[in-house]
Amino acid sequence: MFIEDVTLPVRYSFPNEQFSLIKGSQKRLLTDNQLLSNVQFKLFFNSTQRCSEHSLDISVEHDNLPVSPVQLYVKTIMSVIEKNSVFTSLLQNGPLAVEEKVTLASPFSSTTREWVRNLKQDQNNITKYRAIRSQVFEFLEINNFIEIRELLINHKEQAARGRRAYVKLGNMFGIDGTVKEIEARIHDYARTADAVVNSLRNKILKPYSSHIATTNEIEVANDPIELLLIIFNDRYHRKARFEARRKLQLMNLAASIDQRERETAIEEKFSTFLHFLNDYVWSPQQKIGEHDIVYLLSQHDPEDFHCTSVRVITPDERKNIPSGNGTKLTLIKRRKFVTDGREWPIYVSIRKKPPEAKVLKLLRKNEKNPAVAVDDELGLMAVLDSVSDVKIFQNHLTRSAGKANSFMVLEDISDTLTGNAVYQSTATGSSAKTPMLKFFARLGGMRVEFIIHTNRSWLNYLYQQDVAHDEYEVRRIFDSGVAELLFPADIFHLDHKEIRNDMLVRFRRQIEKT
């Protein structure tokens, strides 16, 4: 009864855990034991499983009188920096943390003995360590860590083992071709690893770019053998050794993504999808690449900057629009589609997720398998004038698929645009206040993610507080633990909580700037 009378969050933050409520009405965040409308909720859980689904008991007290407990169905999502992270080798609070010094020649030192004692406290960590050690020995063609010292100074032998390593990596990731061709592909993975870091430097962490800049020697190193040996080379600073380890881990994810793309022929499917849109969806009266330029003139609420009104204006009308507080002018380039003899304007953004974005998604999802975590490789976002236009476009898509001699089946439909439903994303950092029509369309051998907005909901997606995509990107990178994983505080001297709040303030200031 009381659940119906109060509001709960889609995302409830609990120490070391994050909750995504699957059921219940949601409007604002509720903290542990927070008094809300004289109704107090106490949350309890005892699950330690990663991504486990279970019921959460909530005891309700009203005017200090206990009421029968109720249950909510929740999904627990572990942070990527928690104990059960699949990226153990990057955890600076774990057994494989990068230390100040490399002690290959001191297997019986007090430091090493202390490290062994800590490692033995968790059998899972012992198993992971043994697996990683075996991989390192096999990759470097050695039998113990002492042999690494000899390999560090024998550059001729390094080169020979590097050539053999490329052949093994080619077989591992299903790369056909000569050693040179495999080497070129592996170097592409290294560039993707660098792009992951640079994408964060250039936007989400731009004011802190100098703090997280990669050491030059690591950025230019693309050879896996060279990077692996740097990890064990005490001539390199601790930060550089961590960056070498991080680059190898990111290269491994990039290789898995590339293998998945080759297996699923994603490039060919993306080309097929573009041909489908040009041949069957868009107006034949428009040339490919032709757009009509218009502006959305919108007014926004001073409290949370949600859109209160919007109208479409031409470039000529724009010249006479005065600037003012709460007013935004947003340029959009629109295509057209034709149905029942009438043209309808539509703004469209089509994308194939780049490799570095897929790597970041694997990190956020605490997954190494792209087949599990990356299901939105192909996507289309559309913006129309009204909800009725959205429905017309949805029907037009189905008919267009029929003209292309294919059925179109809609899967995983989430509609918070045309009804009163609440958006129930389980993505870290997402907001319950995000109205949209979202679905996956299966047609012509493809599975494409569609996100459809009205002008008003799209402007909220750009500008509204706690909904804006720029703010969402900040929250998901920090709240998922990815920022701490890639740039550990003790190595990069960063206060991630402070930076998160600072970047949210900066983006909010930039968004509301007239």
Side-chain angles (χ1 to χ4, degrees):
M1 178 175 64
F2 285 99
I3 290 298
E4 298 298 328
D5 296 336
V6 300
T7 57
L8 294 173
V10 158
R11 184 161 297 281
Y12 169 78
S13 296
F14 196 86
N16 300 321
E17 297 282 346
Q18 296 162 359
F19 290 99
S20 299
L21 297 183
I22 308 302
K23 296 180 179 177
S25 59
Q26 305 91 0
K27 286 186 181 178
R28 58 178 171 144
L29 289 177
L30 175 69
T31 58
D32 189 31
N33 292 334
Q34 175 186 346
L35 196 64
L36 181 63
S37 302
N38 294 323
V39 180
Q40 189 167 6
F41 290 84
K42 294 181 179 178
L43 307 187
F44 307 92
F45 76 102
N46 58 5
S47 172
T48 58
Q49 300 179 42
R50 184 174 61 89
C51 286
S52 62
E53 295 182 354
H54 61 279
S55 294
L56 184 68
D57 292 329
I58 299 184
S59 298
V60 183
E61 294 179 2
H62 183 257
D63 294 333
N64 296 320
L65 296 176
V67 182
S68 299
V70 295
Q71 284 191 330
L72 286 180
Y73 189 58
V74 303
K75 186 174 183 180
T76 309
I77 305 174
M78 294 293 292
S79 168
V80 73
I81 56 173
E82 292 302 323
K83 179 180 178 181
N84 291 334
S85 170
V86 300
F87 300 103
T88 308
S89 63
L90 293 182
L91 296 179
Q92 278 302 105
N93 61 348
L96 302 181
V98 177
E99 304 292 348
E100 291 291 344
K101 292 184 65 65
V102 179
T103 55
L104 292 176
S106 307
F108 302 107
S109 66
S110 58
T111 301
T112 302
R113 288 198 299 269
E114 178 64 24
W115 177 82
V116 171
R117 277 194 295 270
N118 292 333
L119 181 69
K120 291 173 68 175
Q121 292 178 7
D122 189 325
Q123 181 59 45
N124 195 39
N125 285 335
I126 295 175
T127 303
K128 288 182 179 180
Y129 166 72
R130 287 172 175 166
I132 294 173
R133 181 184 62 186
S134 296
Q135 292 168 6
V136 169
F137 286 2
E138 180 65 26
F139 198 62
L140 295 178
E141 300 179 14
I142 59 177
N143 297 310
N144 55 64
F145 286 111
I146 300 298
E147 294 180 33
I148 292 179
R149 299 177 65 189
E150 301 172 10
L151 196 56
L152 286 172
I153 59 177
N154 191 337
H155 299 291
K156 184 177 179 180
E157 187 59 32
Q158 281 185 36
R161 297 186 190 189
R163 287 191 294 271
R164 293 193 290 271
Y166 282 122
V167 175
K168 295 176 182 177
L169 288 171
N171 291 331
M172 177 180 174
F173 291 109
I175 305 172
D176 296 325
T178 64
V179 174
K180 281 292 184 183
E181 290 170 333
I182 295 172
E183 181 180 346
R185 184 65 67 92
I186 300 298
H187 288 191
D188 283 342
Y189 302 155
R191 284 186 281 273
T192 297
D194 293 332
V196 171
V197 175
N198 290 332
S199 67
L200 296 176
R201 285 185 61 199
N202 293 335
K203 185 176 182 181
I204 296 176
L205 293 168
K206 189 172 183 178
Y208 303 90
S209 178
S210 58
H211 292 74
I212 63 175
T214 305
T215 305
N216 290 336
E217 288 78 2
I218 306 304
E219 191 159 24
V220 300
N222 296 325
D223 182 89
I225 290 286
E226 179 184 0
L227 287 165
L228 185 56
L229 288 174
I230 286 174
I231 296 173
F232 300 101
N233 191 342
D234 202 38
R235 284 204 62 201
Y236 286 84
H237 186 266
R238 183 189 184 201
K239 174 177 176 288
R241 286 185 279 114
F242 173 82
E243 289 170 340
R245 182 183 291 189
R246 180 185 67 191
K247 188 166 184 175
L248 282 173
Q249 183 68 264
L250 297 179
M251 287 172 66
N252 183 63
L253 296 179
S256 297
I257 288 167
D258 177 60
Q259 183 180 13
R260 169 72 176 171
E261 288 184 347
R262 284 182 280 112
E263 291 171 350
T264 58
I266 191 65
E267 291 288 348
E268 292 84 351
K269 288 180 179 178
F270 184 60
S271 177
T272 300
F273 181 53
L274 292 179
H275 284 302
F276 164 71
L277 293 174
N278 289 325
D279 293 343
Y280 299 101
V281 178
W282 309 137
S283 170
Q285 305 304 317
Q286 276 189 312
K287 294 182 178 181
I288 295 174
E290 181 183 357
H291 299 90
D292 297 327
I293 296 178
V294 298
Y295 290 85
L296 298 181
L297 176 63
S298 55
Q299 299 295 323
H300 296 263
D301 182 81
E303 184 174 343
D304 65 356
F305 219 69
H306 75 270
C307 178
T308 56
S309 66
V310 57
R311 64 186 179 94
V312 180
I313 62 173
T314 65
D316 289 337
E317 291 175 308
R318 171 187 177 273
K319 300 174 184 177
N320 302 319
I321 299 298
S323 60
N325 291 335
T327 300
K328 297 291 287 188
L329 203 57
T330 308
L331 181 147
I332 58 174
K333 299 177 180 180
R334 306 211 285 192
R335 302 173 187 258
K336 296 175 183 176
F337 67 94
V338 179
T339 181
D340 297 329
R342 177 181 169 182
E343 287 188 332
W344 304 83
I346 181 172
Y347 165 71
V348 175
S349 174
I350 305 165
R351 61 119 175 97
K352 182 177 80 72
K353 195 181 285 287
E356 60 270 23
K358 293 182 182 180
V359 170
L360 282 170
K361 185 162 188 176
L362 287 175
L363 294 171
R364 293 196 309 269
K365 298 292 186 180
N366 194 23
E367 280 285 353
K368 291 186 178 181
N369 184 359
V372 174
V374 184
D375 62 351
D376 57 349
E377 295 172 298
L378 298 181
L380 179 148
M381 185 180 73
V383 181
L384 297 106
D385 286 338
S386 67
V387 171
S388 61
D389 290 1
V390 169
K391 294 176 180 178
I392 291 170
F393 178 63
Q394 189 176 359
N395 291 332
H396 176 64
L397 280 175
T398 303
R399 282 188 237 152
S400 298
K403 292 178 183 178
N405 200 28
S406 171
F407 287 117
M408 185 174 79
V409 178
L410 304 188
E411 302 173 341
D412 301 335
I413 300 172
S414 173
D415 183 6
T416 55
L417 187 64
T418 62
N420 296 320
V422 178
Y423 181 53
Q424 295 178 343
S425 171
T426 59
T428 302
S430 62
S431 171
K433 299 181 288 186
T434 309
M436 65 174 74
L437 171 60
K438 179 178 178 180
F439 58 86
F440 285 87
R442 191 178 293 279
L443 74 161
M446 301 173 288
R447 190 172 189 265
V448 184
E449 181 189 49
F450 282 80
I451 296 177
I452 305 181
H453 285 284
T454 62
N455 292 335
R456 186 186 296 252
S457 72
W458 184 62
L459 291 170
N460 287 337
Y461 168 80
L462 292 179
Y463 304 133
Q464 185 178 349
Q465 188 172 356
D466 296 329
V467 173
H469 188 70
D470 285 344
E471 294 176 328
Y472 165 55
E473 285 190 314
V474 172
R475 288 196 301 271
R476 70 180 181 178
I477 284 296
F478 284 93
D479 296 354
S480 64
V482 171
E484 175 67 32
L485 182 77
L486 297 180
F487 312 106
D490 63 328
I491 292 180
F492 291 86
H493 310 292
L494 300 171
D495 185 330
H496 288 284
K497 183 177 180 180
E498 181 180 305
I499 293 173
R500 175 192 185 276
N501 294 335
D502 176 50
M503 292 310 302
L504 288 174
V505 170
R506 286 174 183 263
F507 277 118
R508 176 50 40 195
R509 188 186 305 126
Q510 181 65 33
I511 287 170
E512 296 186 11
K513 185 178 179 180
T514 303

